[in-house]
Structures are given as structure tokens and as C-alpha cells.
Amino acid sequence: MKYLGRFLFVMIVFLSLAGCSQFLHSEELLGEEERSSLEVAVNSDTGQGTLDLVTPTITDGDTEIEIKMTGIDENKTTFISVANEDVFEGKIKNNEVYTLDISDIKDARRTDYNPKVQLLQTSNDEESGDIVTFKQVRYSVEKE
């Protein structure tokens, strides 16, 4: 009886995992719009233009990071975040250097991983809209 309980437990786990594999391949069922959003999540880069770091390496004592965009739609509202915290919302100009204040962002100066800067533009100029442009770059932080 003791072994029967273990056998049933193993079978339930196996059947549960086998059922989950259907979800992993469900992207075939997605429409074009959902597939596009899925590609953004997987590829981490969509839309025209580039996001470049003027300062690809900072020290843990720095309080600013500089970025520059080229080929980005200047007419759309741009949302920029550093280490997953919003730092900018507004219209941008291409080929200009933007200085972002990271002094209050907890994870922006961690040395145990490379933090990221993300740029987002949406179809309706609201952060919750459909993604039109998404760019992401990582920078490194060295001890001072």
C-alpha cells in the first residue's frame, strides 16, 4: 500500500508535466499581434533605431549614465527605464546625449550583474499600449 501511494503520486506529477508541454507549444495558436508581442519578449529588440550607451561602464559611486538614440521615432512618447525603474517619459531627439540620474535606483549600481537600460515606444503613446519600439542594452558596474 505504501508503494501504491508513491506510484500514484509519480503518475500524477508525470501527467501534470505532460499536460504543461501543450502550453509551451501554444504559440502556434496565437494570432499575429500576440505573436509579435511574444517575439518582443523573446528577442528583446523590435522596431527601428538604436539605443547606445555613451557610458558602457560606470563605477558603483557614479550617479549618472549617458545614452544616445539614433533612428528612433521622435514623434512618439519614449519611456526609458534603468534597472527596471522608470527614469524618463517624453519626446526624444535623435543623436543627442541624455544624462539619466540613477542615484536613487537601488539596482542601477550593483556590481554582481550587468544592469540594463530599456527604451519603449507604444502605438498609443501610453506605457500600456502595443509595443512599437523596444530596445535594451546592458552596462557594467565596477567597484570604485
Side-chain angles (χ1 to χ4, degrees):
M1 199 58 140
K2 179 167 104 177
Y3 295 109
L4 181 62
R6 288 181 185 168
F7 177 75
L8 288 175
F9 175 75
V10 169
M11 288 302 293
I12 290 171
V13 169
F14 175 74
L15 291 174
S16 297
L17 291 176
C20 290
S21 70
Q22 293 299 319
F23 293 114
L24 296 176
H25 299 291
S26 64
E27 69 185 59
E28 298 165 359
L29 303 174
L30 297 176
E32 188 167 328
E33 185 175 316
E34 291 90 355
R35 194 173 303 126
S36 175
S37 295
L38 179 64
E39 288 172 8
V40 169
V42 173
N43 296 333
S44 295
D45 189 36
T46 191
Q48 300 295 318
T50 61
L51 168 63
D52 297 310
L53 293 169
V54 177
T55 49
T57 303
I58 64 170
T59 67
D60 57 355
D62 288 337
T63 59
E64 298 175 336
I65 191 164
E66 294 180 325
I67 62 170
K68 181 178 175 182
M69 285 75 59
T70 54
I72 301 293
D73 187 350
E74 294 180 344
N75 297 315
K76 301 215 69 53
T77 299
T78 302
F79 303 92
I80 298 176
S81 64
V82 176
N84 297 321
E85 291 201 27
D86 297 334
V87 294
F88 179 87
E89 178 181 337
K91 306 284 185 185
I92 55 103
K93 298 243 183 251
N94 286 306
N95 302 313
E96 285 190 20
V97 175
Y98 287 81
T99 302
L100 306 173
D101 180 13
I102 59 170
S103 59
D104 294 335
I105 301 174
K106 176 183 167 189
D107 293 331
R109 295 178 285 163
R110 286 182 44 188
T111 58
D112 58 339
Y113 83 111
N114 292 338
K116 61 189 168 195
V117 178
Q118 295 176 318
L119 176 145
L120 173 71
Q121 291 182 325
T122 62
S123 59
N124 63 357
D125 288 340
E126 294 181 18
E127 203 165 8
S128 61
D130 293 333
I131 297 171
V132 174
T133 304
F134 180 80
K135 305 293 176 187
Q136 175 176 285
V137 291
R138 291 192 177 266
Y139 61 93
S140 58
V141 182
E142 297 176 350
K143 291 192 185 243
E144 209 169 21

